[in-house]
Amino acid sequence: MVLSPADKSNVQAAWAKVGGNAGEYGAEALERMFLSFPTTKTYFPHFDLAHGSAQVKGHGKKVGDALTKAVGSLDDLAGALSALSDLHAHKLRVDPVNFKLLSHCLLVTLASHNPAEFTPAIHASLDKFLATVSTVLTSKYR
């Protein structure tokens, strides 16, 4: 999926609103995913998955940092996320569907924190962006 110039602008504007909350939003999206899609917990057997756990917050920060890096590299997502793609495909062997589930939970989290700014155009652009990130992360599976 190709992000248009308008999509890129929308994603950058939306992510600017996230600001320093990327890690918090990442953790909230992970908690939402674990509650809504319990099978995703199987990839984290060593984590304390309780609300507010340090491990979930730590992984949420990794998610937020990776997305912040991706937003800063919209013209080279494959390059920016190559190491993460290798990690998830070859070492962690995460089922690709889980990226779509987390993407959905991220959209819900972003919408709940920024309802006025979460217009249909922003929603569509963020959805395309997260779908593209998911595609990049699963590219090494093939």
Side-chain angles (χ1 to χ4, degrees):
M1 188 172 301
V2 177
L3 295 173
S4 70
D7 289 325
K8 290 176 184 179
S9 177
N10 286 341
V11 167
Q12 290 167 333
W15 208 254
K17 298 278 185 193
V18 170
N21 296 315
E24 281 180 44
Y25 293 178
E28 184 178 330
L30 284 168
E31 285 186 10
R32 191 180 306 275
M33 181 180 73
F34 295 145
L35 289 170
S36 301
F37 309 103
T39 57
T40 59
K41 294 178 187 180
T42 61
Y43 294 97
F44 300 89
H46 54 290
F47 269 36
D48 169 14
L49 298 177
H51 174 68
S53 85
Q55 290 172 312
V56 173
K57 285 181 180 179
H59 198 67
K61 181 174 177 357
K62 289 179 184 179
V63 169
D65 289 348
L67 290 172
T68 299
K69 182 177 181 179
V71 169
S73 304
L74 292 174
D75 292 321
D76 185 24
L77 287 173
L81 301 175
S82 181
L84 276 179
S85 180
D86 284 332
L87 175 68
H88 286 83
H90 301 300
K91 184 175 179 188
L92 301 175
R93 299 182 187 272
V94 175
D95 184 338
V97 74
N98 291 305
F99 296 113
K100 292 179 183 180
L101 300 177
L102 181 57
S103 293
H104 172 74
C105 292
L106 281 161
L107 285 172
V108 172
T109 300
L110 293 171
S112 70
H113 286 280
N114 301 291
E117 293 87 9
F118 207 80
T119 64
I122 295 290
H123 182 175
S125 294
L126 284 170
D127 192 35
K128 283 174 67 175
F129 165 68
L130 292 171
T132 303
V133 167
S134 296
T135 298
V136 168
L137 289 176
T138 60
S139 66
K140 305 278 177 90
Y141 286 71
R142 300 174 196 123

